[in-house]
Amino acid sequence: MDSRAVLRRAMRIARRLGLCLLLFIAVLAGATTIAVWVSGDDEFAYSMPQTLINDVTQMNPTYVARVVEPTSIDDVVSALRASSGPVSIGGGRFSQGGQVSYPDSLHLDMRKLNRVVNLDVEHKRITVESGITWRKIQSVIDPHDLSIRIMQTYSNFTVGGSLSVNVHGRYIGEGPLVRSVESIKLVLADGSVVAASTTQNAELFYGAIGGYGGLGVIVEATLNLTDNARIERQTSVMPVSEYRDFFARNIRDNRNVVFHNADLYPPDFTTGRQVSWYKTDKPLTIEDRTIAEQAKYTWQPRLAGWVAGSDTGKWMRQHVIEPIYYLEDRVAWRNWEASYDVAELEPASREEQTYGLREYFIPVARFDEFVPLMREIFTKHDANIINVSVRHALPDPGTVLAWAKGEVFAFVVYYRQGRTPEEIARVRAWSLEMIDAATALGGAYYLPYQVFESPEQFHAAFPRDAEYFALKARVDPENRFRNRLWQQLYPANLDTLEAKRRASADYYRAEAQSVLTVPEWYLVFNPVEYAQYLAAGRNPSEFPFFASIDEYWTLYDRVTAISRGSQYPKNGEYLTMLRVIGVSTTAEYLLKGSYEGSIGRLTRWAANDEDTEEDRMYAKAQDAYAQFIFNEAWYEFDFTGWVGALWSDVSLFGDHFLRKIERRLFFTLEFGTKAGYAKLIGFASRATYGIKAERIYMTVIAPEDSAALPPGIEQIESDGRSRIVSTLRWGPFTELTPQLAAAGYQFRDVSGNRRIVVSVVGPASEEPPLIGATELFESRMVSDPTRQRHVLLVETGQLAAFLRDLRMSSVTLEHIYDY
Ligand SMILES: Cc1cc2nc3c(=O)[nH]c(=O)nc-3n(C[C@H](O)[C@H](O)[C@H](O)COP(=O)(O)OP(=O)(O)OC[C@H]3O[C@@H](n4cnc5c(N)ncnc54)[C@H](O)[C@@H]3O)c2cc1C
């Protein structure tokens, strides 16, 4: 657990609840030590099946079926020929919207296909395998005084990923990467290897470059190089309104300028700093020919975090830090300036906040119109923009999905965002408005970033999309090459249900939640166990409170180990919440267990081990509580109502007076305290998490005879036998899902997930059925050693068979954990 996340969370809660609750939590924290001690230290390691692919933002975790790491073109051919079904392709994985992955696909990780095939120094040309990075090419060509002609600002990207995006850099007199490509070699879906250039298979050349891996696997490329050169940095600050004129007069046609960009300062974007690098003969101020690989960066990410953190940070950057930074004269090699490492941007953690890029391409003549539109959109949505860097590109020579339809300025937006659904929705809102603003001016937007746009917006920006889709249908007729970008935009992927699923903000939920909620649900099942124990008239002093504490923390350990082992995206907030409820339950059970084991045991003995009216009332209240918390948050329970009923409905007088009085006070104190605590927690939960969505959605396949849906399940949409349905969450979901299975329905996915956690309880001597399921771990029934809980991970495609099988066995369904 990241201790800073815990601290931040504690501070947020403290601010909301005031010092009182913080003190209360501090007292409870004492219980943590005991809880950790009780939880034991048995090592638990579990690795989840399948492999998780993610990208640099950590926002697009996707399970693929298998990963292949080709080291030769033949490996790529064999992988495609030996398989059927979807294929996704990954290079450096620096795209930010799932462009490298697709669920259950065969994933080609291209990074080991990375040799230099031929270096032709005389003709300044290099042929490379596509998984090679720019940085590796630089190491090979620098000794020959050669440089890459066009690439991005940073050097970690692969050539294949860069070609598929058709990237650009800060070069003057250049533009999209395609301008420096002589030819490429592709492996198509059927395993055939084809060469493509402007004169050979030109359609494929112009389709695959900028084609986001939708047409085939780029395995080789021949690229133009240029001379390395000494370059000198010059910079000046100016009103943004003067920039276009400055650029036209001083930069655009100046053959001495190698790199150029202008940073527009947030939040106003009225002032900009142009930074240009000119060829020079002056002595070097930086002797290194390239930037060292694997260098450590400490202050740069922190500085970016600080600038992102406040308006003061942004003001300091513009008025203090950069003026000092740019005071220094700088003369370096072109290869040095082109070998930046993205590590200099990488924050210590992306758990709560992540950094992203977006980019908009505006015709040069419309620059001044776009800036105020951009300012207005960012201000309206209170977007946390760290920088907008303006670059220039000459027109694209003919790629089908060209972003430089003419001469353009690229507005590269670097921003920070939280990872909550609200924050994602906010970024989505401003991103979509920016796309509309750019396309209204005849521009376009960049496709390697988070994918929010509609097919209509895509078409407005990339009017030759139909040409690309027709080519894809021809060379990839089975639609094997997939990723999240094409899932959103390729018409063949847009079944009516998918559009509906995406339109519902509540449809998709993270699979990790199904695992992480297990300890939270234990705090429902343990009270059920307690209520059943009391209802059976058993001695309350004997209930294993301490074993219950142990069980909670064991479950906590299990799910955090799984979450780590399976590389689920970290969810610090949720783990903090599990700790908070774990600590308060530990405190409660410690108090209750100690009390029941001493004073409670004494008065029970004095009452001849018999229940009083107060005992029975308490058992009823516990039963009501156990039933209530199945579907409602515990803090909504009517604790005070039960105390009132005790004092009004149960007579003070009767047998076993000592026990009666003691139980009455115990009941009142426990429920009274909980009523107060519930008010505080209820307020904090609503303030922090908002009101949770109460329905859960899934896609099911109806049986041939199209059986009616069980009452309580609502149909949202249907397409043939596929249906999107929804139920109330929690208790009703667990109750109605087996009914759907019994009626013959199959489950395609639940909340977009292909796996879900299920717990079952049965005789300790019996194993549960494991059709389509793997056991994650076992869990004790603390009051009944003859019974055992099993926590299983079930494939949703097998869920119906699993539930039907369960009905035949003596093991019963306890809960389906609905994320
Ligand atoms: C910090 C940062 C700075 C950036 N700066 C710039 C910049 O200055 N200029 C710019 O233009 N962009 C920039 N980008 C965007 C970047 O260029 C793209 O994300 C690019 O795709 C990264 O290359 P990659 O190797 O990581 O590709 P990946 O992200 O791995 O892949 C990108 C796409 O290419 C496909 N693909 C990968 N390899 C192949 C292959 N061999 N055959 C077929 N398809 C393949 C993938 O399926 C995917 O659709 C930046 C991104 C980051 C994170």
Side-chain angles (χ1 to χ4, degrees):
M1 161 67 64
D2 178 350
S3 53
R4 276 167 307 159
V6 176
L7 191 64
R8 273 199 299 276
R9 177 115 178 81
M11 292 308 290
R12 235 183 298 148
I13 291 175
R15 248 181 276 133
R16 290 215 163 93
L17 300 185
L19 199 57
C20 281
L21 184 58
L22 190 61
L23 283 175
F24 184 54
I25 289 172
V27 172
L28 290 182
T32 312
T33 323
I34 298 163
V36 168
W37 167 70
V38 170
S39 83
D41 55 6
D42 58 325
E43 277 296 308
F44 176 78
Y46 184 90
S47 71
M48 304 279 275
Q50 294 192 315
T51 307
L52 190 78
I53 304 290
N54 213 332
D55 61 39
V56 64
T57 60
Q58 302 300 312
M59 303 250 292
N60 300 287
T62 305
Y63 283 98
V64 298
R66 198 157 65 92
V67 176
V68 169
E69 297 179 313
T71 55
S72 68
I73 296 179
D74 282 348
D75 286 353
V76 177
V77 172
S78 313
L80 290 172
R81 289 210 169 131
S83 62
S84 57
V87 177
S88 57
I89 313 167
R93 301 183 186 174
F94 288 100
S95 47
Q96 305 189 341
Q99 285 83 353
V100 292
S101 56
Y102 185 78
D104 300 329
S105 60
L106 163 71
H107 180 79
L108 297 177
D109 179 343
M110 302 298 290
R111 290 173 290 189
K112 291 196 175 143
L113 187 68
N114 60 6
R115 281 165 300 196
V116 173
V117 178
N118 185 47
L119 171 63
D120 181 349
V121 174
E122 190 191 346
H123 296 102
K124 298 179 188 164
R125 173 196 297 152
I126 192 166
T127 302
V128 291
E129 292 177 338
S130 64
I132 197 169
T133 60
W134 297 121
R135 185 66 190 79
K136 189 165 174 205
I137 296 179
Q138 285 165 344
S139 303
V140 175
I141 62 176
D142 185 75
H144 301 282
D145 255 336
L146 292 173
S147 249
I148 292 156
R149 200 179 122 192
I150 302 177
M151 56 173 279
Q152 302 92 320
T153 299
Y154 291 90
S155 63
N156 311 69
F157 312 111
T158 64
V159 167
S162 304
L163 286 168
S164 296
V165 169
N166 195 14
V167 301
H168 66 99
R170 294 168 291 150
Y171 302 96
I172 288 301
E174 297 286 5
L177 175 61
V178 63
R179 296 170 66 97
S180 69
V181 184
E182 288 202 358
S183 63
I184 57 172
K185 215 178 254 179
L186 279 164
V187 182
L188 299 180
D190 61 3
S192 56
V193 183
V194 292
S197 66
T198 53
T199 52
Q200 185 186 13
N201 294 314
E203 228 184 349
L204 276 179
F205 180 81
Y206 287 123
I209 297 179
Y212 290 81
L215 303 183
V217 188
I218 299 174
V219 285
E220 217 173 87
T222 299
L223 308 168
N224 298 147
L225 301 173
T226 187
D227 293 320
N228 195 8
R230 275 179 205 212
I231 49 174
E232 178 190 15
R233 186 177 69 192
Q234 292 185 16
T235 167
S236 55
V237 175
M238 67 189 72
V240 170
S241 54
E242 291 172 14
Y243 176 71
R244 197 161 70 91
D245 191 42
F246 166 86
F247 181 84
R249 278 194 284 110
N250 302 287
I251 306 291
R252 186 186 181 280
D253 300 315
N254 187 338
R255 291 296 120 219
N256 275 328
V257 181
V258 178
F259 298 105
H260 167 87
N261 71 294
D263 289 335
L264 312 189
Y265 290 114
D268 297 335
F269 308 104
T270 48
T271 308
R273 174 186 289 276
Q274 69 83 22
V275 182
S276 310
W277 291 81
Y278 294 75
K279 289 183 189 159
T280 182
D281 292 326
K282 288 187 183 166
L284 295 164
T285 62
I286 296 172
E287 299 284 341
D288 294 342
R289 293 183 63 91
T290 51
I291 296 174
E293 287 180 83
Q294 268 118 39
K296 291 267 171 290
Y297 298 91
T298 40
W299 63 266
Q300 292 94 332
R302 286 190 187 149
L303 189 63
W306 182 66
V307 169
S310 67
D311 282 348
T312 315
K314 293 178 178 78
W315 188 92
M316 289 289 283
R317 171 199 166 205
Q318 179 180 347
H319 298 282
V320 180
I321 301 168
E322 288 201 349
I324 295 172
Y325 177 76
Y326 285 112
L327 270 182
E328 184 199 14
D329 286 338
R330 203 168 250 199
V331 180
W333 287 106
R334 173 179 170 137
N335 281 346
W336 186 90
E337 181 60 16
S339 57
Y340 287 135
D341 186 340
V342 289
E344 74 168 32
L345 297 174
E346 192 55 33
S349 162
R350 289 190 185 250
E351 208 169 305
E352 294 197 354
Q353 302 271 355
T354 190
Y355 294 78
L357 283 159
R358 302 205 76 84
E359 205 165 330
Y360 304 92
F361 303 102
I362 306 301
V364 164
R366 317 293 296 264
F367 178 91
D368 293 322
E369 288 170 74
F370 184 68
V371 174
L373 291 175
M374 175 180 84
R375 182 185 309 131
E376 193 186 312
I377 293 168
F378 288 157
T379 310
K380 180 169 130 196
H381 294 282
D382 196 19
N384 190 353
I385 308 300
I386 302 172
N387 190 39
V388 174
S389 172
V390 176
R391 290 120 196 246
H392 174 261
L394 292 174
D396 189 288
T399 62
V400 183
L401 298 180
W403 47 260
K405 292 174 278 190
E407 188 177 331
V408 293
F409 280 120
F411 286 71
V412 184
V413 178
Y414 187 53
Y415 65 94
R416 185 165 90 168
Q417 71 166 97
R419 298 182 54 176
T420 59
E422 295 75 31
E423 275 284 284
I424 294 169
R426 191 140 63 98
V427 172
R428 182 176 192 274
W430 65 252
S431 301
L432 294 181
E433 285 185 30
M434 288 285 282
I435 289 177
D436 289 341
T439 49
L441 296 176
Y445 66 99
Y446 214 17
L447 299 168
Y449 302 130
Q450 281 185 72
V451 183
F452 295 130
E453 65 272 31
S454 66
E456 292 72 30
Q457 286 175 306
F458 176 62
H459 176 71
F462 301 93
R464 290 172 65 194
D465 55 348
E467 216 178 299
Y468 176 85
F469 296 143
L471 183 58
K472 178 164 171 63
R474 188 147 55 79
V475 297
D476 182 18
E478 287 171 21
N479 190 16
R480 292 195 71 188
F481 294 112
R482 294 183 178 217
N483 57 46
R484 292 217 190 161
L485 176 74
W486 294 129
Q487 194 57 24
Q488 175 96 347
L489 301 171
Y490 186 42
N493 295 331
L494 298 177
D495 67 80
T496 49
L497 292 190
E498 187 53 38
K500 247 305 190 250
R501 278 192 282 270
R502 268 194 239 117
S504 158
D506 293 333
Y507 191 91
Y508 288 97
R509 289 170 181 277
E511 180 185 307
Q513 281 312 106
S514 190
V515 178
L516 287 176
T517 51
V518 171
E520 195 183 353
W521 275 99
Y522 182 69
L523 300 186
V524 172
F525 297 123
N526 182 263
V528 170
E529 215 179 324
Y530 183 45
Q532 286 168 351
Y533 179 95
L534 296 178
R538 294 171 72 184
N539 182 353
S541 298
E542 304 275 319
F543 186 78
F545 289 105
F546 299 149
S548 304
I549 298 174
D550 180 25
E551 197 51 29
Y552 176 85
W553 290 106
T554 303
L555 292 176
Y556 173 85
D557 282 351
R558 297 279 185 263
V559 301
T560 44
I562 288 174
S563 149
R564 266 199 308 272
S566 62
Q567 312 158 21
Y568 276 135
K570 286 185 185 157
N571 190 337
E573 279 215 356
Y574 201 83
L575 289 177
T576 305
M577 191 276 286
L578 288 181
R579 286 193 165 201
V580 170
I581 59 176
V583 166
S584 49
T585 304
T586 301
E588 179 195 338
Y589 280 20
L590 276 178
L591 277 174
K592 216 165 149 178
S594 312
Y595 179 88
E596 286 287 31
S598 52
I599 299 171
R601 192 180 291 278
L602 191 74
T603 58
R604 179 83 181 182
W605 169 78
N608 299 331
D609 205 17
E610 282 171 17
D611 277 350
T612 61
E613 270 306 299
E614 283 78 0
D615 278 296
R616 280 187 281 277
M617 185 70 148
Y618 183 73
K620 266 195 225 156
Q622 287 297 348
D623 186 49
Y625 176 73
Q627 287 183 31
F628 180 86
I629 56 178
F630 250 97
N631 297 316
E632 308 284 340
W634 74 270
Y635 47 77
E636 307 282 357
F637 186 69
D638 185 13
F639 293 103
T640 36
W642 278 94
V643 174
L646 169 75
W647 288 94
S648 63
D649 299 355
V650 178
S651 164
L652 246 179
F653 305 102
D655 290 345
H656 312 309
F657 186 68
L658 178 64
R659 175 73 177 175
K660 278 175 77 63
I661 290 294
E662 180 273 324
R663 283 292 99 177
R664 195 169 276 265
L665 294 178
F666 167 74
F667 192 157
T668 308
L669 190 66
E670 179 187 339
F671 274 47
T673 310
K674 280 183 174 166
Y677 188 48
K679 278 215 162 53
L680 287 172
I681 292 291
F683 169 71
S685 294
R686 277 185 291 271
T688 310
Y689 298 112
I691 304 297
K692 285 191 178 174
E694 292 194 338
R695 295 194 79 81
I696 181 146
Y697 298 80
M698 54 197 144
T699 303
V700 295
I701 299 151
E704 299 260 348
D705 60 4
S706 215
L709 288 165
I713 298 196
E714 188 187 320
Q715 180 169 312
I716 310 293
E717 188 76 48
S718 74
D719 181 13
R721 281 168 57 200
S722 295
R723 305 190 175 169
I724 298 179
V725 297
S726 107
T727 80
L728 285 173
R729 292 184 65 188
W730 308 319
F733 173 65
T734 296
E735 201 178 303
L736 292 169
T737 304
Q739 292 181 25
L740 262 178
Y745 283 84
Q746 301 284 338
F747 299 87
R748 174 193 174 271
D749 69 79
V750 180
S751 293
N753 294 298
R754 302 294 172 127
R755 301 184 300 186
I756 192 159
V757 174
V758 170
S759 65
V760 296
V761 176
S765 55
E766 198 167 323
E767 286 302 313
L770 286 176
I771 288 199
T774 33
E775 180 156 275
L776 293 177
F777 47 81
E778 292 179 344
S779 157
R780 282 183 302 160
M781 303 298 292
V782 287
S783 63
D784 184 359
T786 66
R787 294 173 67 68
Q788 179 81 46
R789 175 183 290 111
H790 300 266
V791 180
L792 312 171
L793 186 69
V794 183
E795 303 288 330
T796 49
Q798 302 276 351
L799 184 61
F802 170 83
L803 292 171
R804 283 196 289 265
D805 229 43
L806 201 61
R807 284 179 27 193
M808 317 287 179
S809 82
S810 49
V811 176
T812 53
L813 176 69
E814 183 181 50
H815 193 64
I816 310 180
Y817 296 77
D818 63 8
Y819 314 100

